[in-house]
Amino acid sequence: MEGNGEKNNVHSRKWKRLGNGFAVILGIIILLLMVGLMSFQWITDYIWMESLQFESVFTTIIGSKIILGIIGFILFSILTYINLRWIRNTYLSHFHNNQVPTWIANKKQSRWLIISISILLGAIGSLIVQGIGWEPFLKVVNRSSFGINDPYFNLDVSFYMFVLPFIKMVLYILLGLSIFYFVVEISFYSFFHIYRMSQSAQLHMGLTLGIIGLLLASFHVLQPYHSLLTNQVNLFQKSVVHGMSYTDKLINIPAAYVLAGAAVVGTIWMIIALYRQKYYRMIIPIAGYLVLVIVAQLTSVGVQQFIVSPNEFSKESPYLQENLDYTRAAYQLEEIDEREHPANESLDEAMIERNALTLDNVRMNDSRPLLEIYNQLQTFRTYYQFNNIDIDRYEIDGEYQQVFIGARELSTVDLPSQAKTWVNQKLRYTHGYGVAMSQVNQVTEQGQPEYMVKNLPPEGDLDITRPQIYFGEQNYDNVIVNSKKDEFDYPSGDENISTRFDADSGIQLNGINRLLFALNEGSFRMFVSDQITGESQFLETRNIMDRVQRIAPFFEYDEDPYIFVREDGSLAWMMDAYLTAENYPYAEAHQGDENYIRNSVKVVIDAYTGDVNFYIVDKDDPLLQTYAKMFPELFTEEVPTDIRSHFRYPEKLFKVQAKMYGTYHMTNLEVFYNREDFWQFPTEKYYNEDIEMEPYYMTMKLPEYDEEEFMLMMPYTPRNRQNMIAWMGVRNDGENYGEMIVYRFPKQKNVYGPQQIENRINQDSTISQQLNLWSQGGSEVIRGNLLAIPIEDTMMYVEPIYIESSNATSLPEVKQIVMAYGNHIVMEATFDEALDKMLQHLDPNREVEEEPIENPEQDQETEESISNSEQTLREISDMFDAYQAALSSGNWEEAAKIMTDIETRLQEIK
């Protein structure tokens, strides 16, 4: 029996060893799988970044994440091991082995359990630290000086933007970890009131409590620096000052140091009370600390309410000046050149001739209805689509011209269902084709855009040598080029023209690459397809927004990239990258806590190859200098001329600066405090709704210069008033790029604002009747963007009027141009006719050149036709008045009869 028992024990131990071995092997396999999956993603990402020559950006980010991950893992795992080991030792010293669970009493089991938990928490800590810490870590290591010190602590702005956030991040991690351990300790030491009887437990909890107290004190020490970054003076009140205020300096900063000392003293008190088992005394420092917090808050409220508020301007003046100066610096408002504009009514024929190029580039089309027109007239196939119509400028035949341009992109979603095969979507239909371009100031007789580039293949004023668009704004699938299957290029009559990808910018699908990316795509067919050869290339992440964010996720990107034609005839996309930050001292935030923004980088993506370049625009930006130290291989300093010529100052940045300038143009402190001269964006009527006016690009000549240039501008109106008080513009061309100018109008002179012009259009009896008739005749009247156009020392307004029938397939057509100048307003079929009529109003004695009459009979017929048309229009107008009168009196039958007669007459005119 004993032999059998011994044999069974040996057998049992053997299976136990085998089980343990299997568990270890299984654990190793799981660990290897986890590491393998993570490494697999890193490998494919690295190969993709290497294909774009940005592998150094990838390795820098991954390197910093690995370093921080290791630090986080070591910190979390070692501290967890120490804490759990301490708890185990405390239990073993307090209880007999038979009084505690086996997994605590058994040294081997408890060691493995503690190590396992430590590794698990170490992994979690690694993810936390590297996830939130890699960018602050790289910034603080590579920070550049701003050369500007705050007026109170005399610290460079870089301390607040880079060092302070990093310190706070570290403190938050340590404080969270310490509180977590303290809760764990309380949980374990509460059993059988161990904390009352075990000095080891008391020492453990006291040490953790001491660390929490020191970390809490550290937050209070940092609080004075934070007072420069907010206008919140206490839990209940805000100051008029963004940054340090009178109450901050007098109360909040000293209170922060007092609370830091109280946190340290209170922590020591609690540790002593815990060690002496005087637990009720631990309440005293907590209560004292809370009392100090309440007293500090109430004192702050009292000072703000009874000392500052009654004499706010006097108390806050020094701090208001800092708020004003630092906000202007944060948004580059101090660089704006402010000038006076006389707002004369001096328009005459000579001025028109001097500014012919400006008037020739006045926008007669609007990009929003124009997008619908492009998509109906220039797509040719259902699988082509224009996502956006953008404004740009080109030198064509020696003439500077402002244009609309849009990319004809491929949308495989719109392919016929029978064509949505794997071969078609991955190998055959791979790219869009060409652009359409039209003049901003010309329309056809039908009110449609006058194209400068159109059709397939592209034909027109520009020679486009590489019209294929492999990378664009569409949500493109990843595709494979240079397979055995030729790619669809463009339709030509009943045939489809094919092409082959002629670049080396994709990922070569040879060797192990094919297996890796087939796994990454989750496509077995990609791995086994006989259509793919060693020459095939994989084009991944073809949406340009996703592409640049994958390369440089630390920038914000403008949502409106635009396509342009380079000198060699290739197509490329331009995208604005914003460098934003928080914590600029004394600066007011424009959204959330963000109070620093620059457009120091322009991103250009080749529409054919997908090559990406990050061009430096503002090398003096300290935030850019910091990123350049972090990623020296990312940026390109030399900008090719044909790319620079298409730089556009971004609307988003311009709006932020213009809105901030509406307040911060007031440099007189008392005026600034009272917001006496606050400027705001005007409103305009668009699609018969009043909306806030958007900045707009235009070609114009500044009063002090001799040549026209591409400008982005925005009018201003005073608060709660509609007259124009000023306008802001930013230059876009050549070395003048980014120069901002504000022209102020005389305060004693009324200059009509955009909404006032819109109201005058509505009140003009002739124009309003005409618009009402069109809208009643089964058509929709679309009011386009109202443009305020500065010309030398005067201003004029132009607004296109679109007509769109109720038919589902109808196109918006420019039918009339409204022009307003001074007290005059006219509406004509073309811009030239409107301008000619306006000049006639301004100078009734002006001689109008009459064209020679070639056919008197035809001319007489034309005059009779015009006379008859005017008579018909008057009759219809009278009928419409009768219709409105019948409606007002409730005579519905009579109103319906009159409306039927009106529709009949309109049909006769058609």
Side-chain angles (χ1 to χ4, degrees):
M1 293 290 291
E2 291 180 3
N4 289 336
E6 186 177 344
K7 186 176 181 180
N8 288 335
N9 287 336
V10 171
H11 190 68
S12 175
R13 286 196 297 270
K14 182 179 178 181
W15 279 106
K16 189 175 182 179
R17 285 196 300 270
L18 286 173
N20 290 338
F22 178 75
V24 171
I25 293 171
L26 182 62
I28 292 172
I29 291 173
I30 293 172
L31 182 62
L32 288 175
L33 283 174
M34 292 176 60
V35 173
L37 287 173
M38 188 180 297
S39 301
F40 171 76
Q41 190 62 53
W42 285 355
I43 290 168
T44 53
D45 286 345
Y46 178 82
I47 293 172
W48 184 80
M49 291 285 279
E50 187 182 34
S51 71
L52 292 165
Q53 299 180 347
F54 290 126
E55 65 274 13
S56 63
V57 177
F58 177 82
T59 54
T60 299
I61 294 175
I62 290 297
S64 65
K65 285 185 174 182
I66 290 173
I67 292 171
L68 291 176
I70 292 171
I71 292 172
F73 180 82
I74 293 173
L75 178 69
F76 276 64
S77 59
I78 288 180
L79 290 179
T80 301
Y81 183 84
I82 291 172
N83 276 276
L84 293 180
R85 189 66 182 268
W86 196 323
I87 291 171
R88 178 182 179 273
N89 291 339
T90 301
Y91 265 68
L92 292 178
S93 64
H94 189 73
F95 298 104
H96 294 293
N97 285 355
N98 58 356
Q99 292 179 303
V100 295
T102 306
W103 54 270
I104 294 179
N106 188 293
K107 187 175 182 181
K108 190 174 182 180
Q109 285 187 13
S110 63
R111 183 190 301 124
W112 277 108
L113 181 61
I114 291 172
I115 290 174
S116 300
I117 295 174
S118 300
I119 290 174
L120 177 62
L121 287 180
I124 294 172
S126 175
L127 292 174
I128 293 172
V129 173
Q130 62 92 10
I132 66 174
W134 73 265
E135 190 172 355
F137 169 71
L138 286 176
K139 281 182 177 179
V140 78
V141 170
N142 297 282
R143 66 185 183 277
S144 293
S145 171
F146 279 70
I148 301 173
N149 288 13
D150 77 89
Y152 188 81
F153 296 104
N154 198 32
L155 293 171
D156 190 86
V157 171
S158 61
F159 169 80
Y160 298 94
M161 294 183 73
F162 304 134
V163 180
L164 189 60
F166 181 76
I167 294 174
K168 290 178 70 175
M169 180 198 71
V170 172
L171 291 178
Y172 275 121
I173 291 173
L174 293 177
L175 182 62
L177 192 59
S178 300
I179 292 173
F180 170 75
Y181 289 143
F182 191 64
V183 171
V184 171
E185 291 162 18
I186 291 175
S187 301
F188 275 99
Y189 294 145
S190 294
F191 289 109
F192 306 108
H193 302 286
I194 298 174
Y195 65 89
R196 291 178 177 273
M197 298 170 280
S198 172
Q199 287 190 346
S200 175
Q202 294 165 1
L203 180 61
H204 191 189
M205 296 177 68
L207 182 61
T208 307
L209 196 61
I211 293 172
I212 292 174
L214 290 175
L215 291 171
L216 190 62
S218 300
F219 278 105
H220 285 302
V221 170
L222 294 178
Q223 187 59 36
Y225 302 110
H226 190 261
S227 67
L228 274 65
L229 311 175
T230 179
N231 65 337
Q232 192 81 41
V233 292
N234 51 61
L235 290 174
F236 313 102
Q237 295 170 311
K238 291 183 178 181
S239 169
V240 295
V241 179
H242 289 269
M244 184 183 294
S245 64
Y246 179 88
T247 304
D248 286 325
K249 186 175 181 179
L250 183 68
I251 301 298
N252 294 340
I253 291 177
Y257 294 129
V258 170
L259 287 171
V264 174
V265 172
T267 301
I268 296 172
W269 182 303
M270 291 178 70
I271 292 171
I272 294 172
L274 180 66
Y275 191 74
R276 292 180 176 177
Q277 300 186 23
K278 306 291 185 181
Y279 304 111
Y280 64 90
R281 292 188 178 180
M282 295 177 67
I283 300 174
I284 297 174
I286 295 174
Y289 175 79
L290 292 175
V291 167
L292 284 175
V293 169
I294 294 170
V295 168
Q297 288 290 308
L298 291 178
T299 306
S300 176
V301 170
V303 169
Q304 187 70 24
Q305 183 69 30
F306 300 109
I307 297 178
V308 175
S309 293
N311 196 18
E312 192 170 50
F313 176 69
S314 174
K315 297 296 183 183
E316 302 286 25
S317 289
Y319 313 101
L320 275 171
Q321 187 64 57
E322 306 297 348
N323 176 194
L324 179 63
D325 293 342
Y326 280 75
T327 301
R328 286 171 64 89
Y331 296 99
Q332 293 182 299
L333 306 183
E334 78 281 0
E335 299 176 10
I336 295 176
D337 185 8
E338 195 167 295
R339 304 174 184 177
E340 298 297 324
H341 193 290
N344 296 325
E345 294 188 7
S346 55
L347 186 69
D348 57 21
E349 203 150 1
M351 184 183 291
I352 296 298
E353 292 176 1
R354 289 195 302 272
N355 295 273
L357 187 57
T358 297
L359 296 170
D360 286 344
N361 281 279
V362 172
R363 256 197 299 134
M364 293 298 100
N365 284 297
D366 192 294
S367 60
R368 285 167 279 193
L370 197 63
L371 177 61
E372 183 180 346
I373 296 171
Y374 271 42
N375 271 318
Q376 289 203 40
L377 299 182
Q378 281 294 310
T379 49
F380 306 114
R381 292 290 188 274
T382 57
Y383 43 76
Y384 284 133
Q385 182 176 346
F386 290 90
N387 287 292
N388 203 5
I389 303 299
D390 292 297
I391 296 176
D392 205 348
R393 72 286 196 197
Y394 289 82
E395 190 87 22
I396 299 175
D397 295 330
E399 188 175 346
Y400 192 84
Q401 294 191 38
Q402 188 176 332
V403 302
F404 286 112
I405 185 171
R408 188 183 294 103
E409 299 192 60
L410 181 70
S411 176
T412 56
V413 175
D414 297 322
L415 284 171
S417 56
Q418 65 272 18
K420 291 182 179 179
T421 63
W422 184 85
V423 170
N424 278 345
Q425 291 184 306
K426 295 294 183 181
L427 310 180
R428 176 71 174 156
Y429 291 92
T430 58
H431 58 272
Y433 196 87
V435 296
M437 181 188 291
S438 60
Q439 295 178 337
V440 298
N441 64 321
Q442 293 187 23
V443 294
T444 64
E445 292 181 359
Q446 293 76 33
Q448 301 301 328
E450 193 73 56
Y451 291 105
M452 304 169 70
V453 177
K454 60 181 180 179
N455 297 343
L456 297 172
E459 55 185 32
D461 294 340
L462 296 179
D463 183 20
I464 300 177
T465 58
R466 262 191 172 175
Q468 293 84 2
I469 301 174
Y470 285 87
F471 300 85
E473 295 183 272
Q474 281 282 6
N475 292 321
Y476 288 111
D477 288 335
N478 300 332
V479 296
I480 300 165
V481 295
N482 292 343
S483 67
K484 292 181 180 179
K485 188 80 172 177
D486 286 340
E487 302 168 47
F488 165 75
D489 204 22
Y490 64 91
S492 179
D494 295 333
E495 297 180 355
N496 287 333
I497 308 300
S498 298
T499 188
R500 306 280 293 178
F501 187 69
D502 184 25
D504 295 323
S505 55
I507 298 168
Q508 292 291 333
L509 290 179
N510 50 17
I512 197 172
N513 280 2
R514 184 168 176 179
L515 173 62
L516 288 173
F517 286 93
L519 289 172
N520 197 44
E521 284 284 287
S523 173
F524 179 72
R525 188 160 185 176
M526 180 176 168
F527 182 65
V528 300
S529 174
D530 61 357
Q531 298 290 318
I532 301 172
T533 70
E535 301 298 319
S536 299
Q537 296 180 50
F538 186 55
L539 303 184
E540 188 183 12
T541 315
R542 298 197 297 141
N543 176 276
I544 56 174
M545 185 67 72
D546 295 340
R547 196 170 182 83
V548 295
Q549 285 179 337
R550 188 175 173 186
I551 296 168
F554 33 83
F555 295 148
E556 290 183 19
Y557 295 98
D558 198 284
E559 296 179 354
D560 184 26
Y562 56 98
I563 200 164
F564 66 99
V565 184
R566 299 194 63 176
E567 284 184 357
D568 62 0
S570 63
L571 302 176
W573 296 92
M574 185 87 72
M575 189 183 299
D576 292 294
Y578 300 110
L579 282 68
T580 60
E582 303 171 358
N583 292 2
Y584 197 100
Y586 287 99
E588 181 179 347
H590 68 91
Q591 65 172 20
D593 294 325
E594 191 174 281
N595 61 1
Y596 182 90
I597 182 169
R598 294 287 188 274
N599 173 225
S600 303
V601 177
K602 299 281 188 182
V603 189
V604 175
I605 308 99
D606 191 291
Y608 187 90
T609 65
D611 289 337
V612 182
N613 284 284
F614 291 79
Y615 291 106
I616 293 177
V617 179
D618 182 7
K619 61 183 179 181
D620 296 326
D621 175 18
L623 188 52
L624 171 70
Q625 293 169 3
T626 298
Y627 279 113
K629 291 178 184 177
M630 292 162 60
F631 309 106
E633 304 298 324
L634 177 64
F635 302 103
T636 304
E637 290 194 30
E638 294 298 323
V639 184
T641 304
D642 64 334
I643 289 178
R644 185 176 289 278
S645 65
H646 292 282
F647 277 3
R648 288 188 341 190
Y649 200 83
E651 291 183 50
K652 176 182 176 179
L653 176 59
F654 182 74
K655 282 186 69 173
V656 169
Q657 291 176 307
K659 278 188 178 292
M660 298 304 296
Y661 194 77
T663 300
Y664 286 88
H665 73 91
M666 296 175 275
T667 53
N668 181 286
L669 269 191
E670 192 165 358
V671 174
F672 172 67
Y673 168 73
N674 293 314
R675 302 298 196 262
E676 295 175 15
D677 193 20
F678 177 79
W679 298 349
Q680 62 187 16
F681 292 172
T683 57
E684 64 169 336
K685 188 171 289 294
Y686 186 77
Y687 272 83
N688 296 319
E689 292 185 7
D690 289 336
I691 63 170
E692 184 178 83
M693 204 168 187
E694 294 289 331
Y696 52 91
Y697 295 99
M698 66 176 301
T699 300
M700 60 170 290
K701 186 195 298 181
L702 290 171
E704 298 84 358
Y705 299 94
D706 298 327
E707 293 184 357
E708 277 79 4
E709 54 187 297
F710 197 56
M711 297 281 296
L712 177 62
M713 68 168 290
M714 168 63 83
Y716 281 115
T717 58
R719 186 200 297 271
N720 299 326
R721 292 172 61 192
Q722 295 180 345
N723 61 294
M724 198 191 304
I725 192 70
W727 65 270
M728 175 185 281
V730 59
R731 306 172 76 180
N732 285 262
D733 292 341
E735 296 180 356
N736 301 318
Y737 175 85
E739 289 184 14
M740 304 186 76
I741 306 171
V742 168
Y743 287 91
R744 284 177 174 262
F745 296 130
K747 291 186 178 180
Q748 68 276 12
K749 183 184 294 187
N750 179 65
V751 179
Y752 287 115
Q755 191 61 56
Q756 289 176 322
I757 297 296
E758 298 283 19
N759 294 338
R760 287 179 57 203
I761 293 173
N762 293 337
Q763 293 162 6
D764 187 282
S765 58
T766 304
I767 295 176
S768 61
Q769 276 192 2
Q770 183 67 66
L771 298 181
N772 285 333
L773 283 173
W774 278 325
S775 61
Q776 292 291 335
S779 298
E780 182 181 7
V781 176
I782 302 172
R783 301 272 287 269
N785 284 128
L786 180 65
L787 304 178
I789 304 168
I791 303 177
E792 295 187 7
D793 62 347
T794 191
M795 296 285 297
M796 73 158 52
Y797 284 94
V798 175
E799 180 177 272
I801 304 294
Y802 289 82
I803 306 296
E804 184 176 24
S805 73
S806 56
N807 191 310
T809 59
S810 66
L811 295 173
E813 298 177 354
V814 179
K815 285 301 183 186
Q816 296 287 301
I817 301 298
V818 176
M819 183 177 292
Y821 181 77
N823 294 319
H824 304 288
I825 187 166
V826 299
M827 184 174 73
E828 295 295 329
T830 68
F831 179 83
D832 290 339
E833 291 175 13
L835 184 59
D836 190 65
K837 191 168 184 179
M838 181 61 71
L839 290 173
Q840 196 67 35
H841 279 300
L842 296 175
D843 183 10
N845 299 321
R846 171 175 173 263
E847 295 183 4
V848 180
E849 294 184 7
E850 297 183 1
E851 296 183 2
I853 301 174
E854 296 180 359
N855 190 336
E857 294 181 3
Q858 184 179 356
D859 186 66
Q860 185 177 357
E861 291 176 2
T862 303
E863 290 181 1
E864 290 176 358
S865 176
I866 294 173
S867 177
N868 292 335
S869 298
E870 291 177 350
Q871 178 64 27
T872 303
L873 186 62
R874 282 194 293 272
E875 290 175 2
I876 293 175
S877 177
D878 293 339
M879 292 170 69
F880 185 71
D881 291 339
Y883 165 75
Q884 289 183 319
L887 285 178
S888 300
S889 61
N891 192 343
W892 309 112
E893 292 184 2
E894 180 67 19
K897 181 177 179 299
I898 295 172
M899 178 52 66
T900 302
D901 293 340
I902 290 175
E903 291 176 352
T904 302
R905 292 301 301 274
L906 288 172
Q907 290 295 329
E908 290 174 357
I909 294 173
K910 290 182 180 179

